[in-house]
Amino acid sequence: MLDKKPFLRIWSLEDWEEIKALKHPAAVRDFSADPSGKLLLTIGNDKTLRAWDLAKGREAFTKSFRDQPERVLWGPDGRRYALQLTAGICQIQTLEESKEKVQIESKDRIMDIKFFRFFNLLFKVLTLNGISTKENLVLRVKI
């Protein structure tokens, strides 16, 4: 009998052998590894954010949401991450507290998020004013 649950599969870049297969309760929508490579954040189709301890090969914690999160991205310092909750809402959170530190809201759809220089965030926002145009919104966020 086949197992219907998805797996996170981790391979060695040296010889391409599978190192770990972590069972994930739902299909994975997005993921981001911290800069050290020891932790992984995943967003599942079950409206959850999961943190994985890759050194121990197990789930560290799960956080559930009312709406389906869309995107997750670790910051360059490994202490905070961006979590896009809806088309126009993004939160900056810390793993230690696993709670919102800053919430950014846009009336337009957030298309992409990038961290650069520890406290700056770049958002690509799609606006629909008759025709599609892209705008960049740079925010300085001090957490």
Side-chain angles (χ1 to χ4, degrees), residues 26 30 52 90 98 110 122 142:
D30 196 22
W52 299 85
C90 180
S98 183
I110 298 170
L122 173 66
K142 184 91 169 183

Side-chain angles (χ1 to χ4, degrees), residues 95-143:
L95 195 60
E96 297 85 24
E97 299 167 350
S98 183
K99 65 180 183 180
E100 169 193 344
K101 298 296 255 174
V102 175
Q103 180 162 303
I104 296 112
E105 295 184 28
S106 170
K107 62 180 174 41
D108 299 312
R109 180 167 186 73
I110 298 170
M111 299 300 290
D112 199 9
I113 303 165
K114 300 285 186 226
F115 279 94
F116 63 103
R117 293 191 194 148
F118 296 103
F119 298 109
N120 293 337
L121 286 167
L122 173 66
F123 290 90
K124 287 187 181 174
V125 180
L126 179 67
T127 59
L128 300 171
N129 299 331
I131 59 168
S132 296
T133 60
K134 286 188 179 178
E135 298 178 2
N136 289 328
L137 171 66
V138 178
L139 299 174
R140 184 164 181 84
V141 180
K142 184 91 169 183
I143 300 174

Side-chain angles (χ1 to χ4, degrees), residues 13-32:
L13 294 177
E14 293 175 7
D15 56 13
W16 292 103
E17 287 198 31
E18 186 175 303
I19 298 170
K20 290 184 175 97
L22 306 171
K23 194 177 271 193
H24 201 280
V28 176
R29 294 176 65 99
D30 196 22
F31 66 92
S32 184

Side-chain angles (χ1 to χ4, degrees), residues 10-82:
I10 303 164
W11 289 275
S12 165
L13 294 177
E14 293 175 7
D15 56 13
W16 292 103
E17 287 198 31
E18 186 175 303
I19 298 170
K20 290 184 175 97
L22 306 171
K23 194 177 271 193
H24 201 280
V28 176
R29 294 176 65 99
D30 196 22
F31 66 92
S32 184
D34 83 320
S36 75
K38 295 177 183 175
L39 296 172
L40 182 74
L41 294 175
T42 60
I43 294 175
N45 275 344
D46 56 355
K47 301 180 182 177
T48 61
L49 170 76
R50 285 185 163 73
W52 299 85
D53 182 331
L54 297 178
K56 295 180 181 174
R58 64 182 174 85
E59 186 178 328
F61 78 84
T62 301
K63 184 175 181 182
S64 297
F65 295 89
R66 188 186 69 202
D67 297 318
Q68 177 64 60
E70 295 187 16
R71 184 173 305 154
V72 65
L73 177 69
W74 274 105
D77 64 357
R79 289 186 25 234
R80 56 188 63 83
Y81 58 93

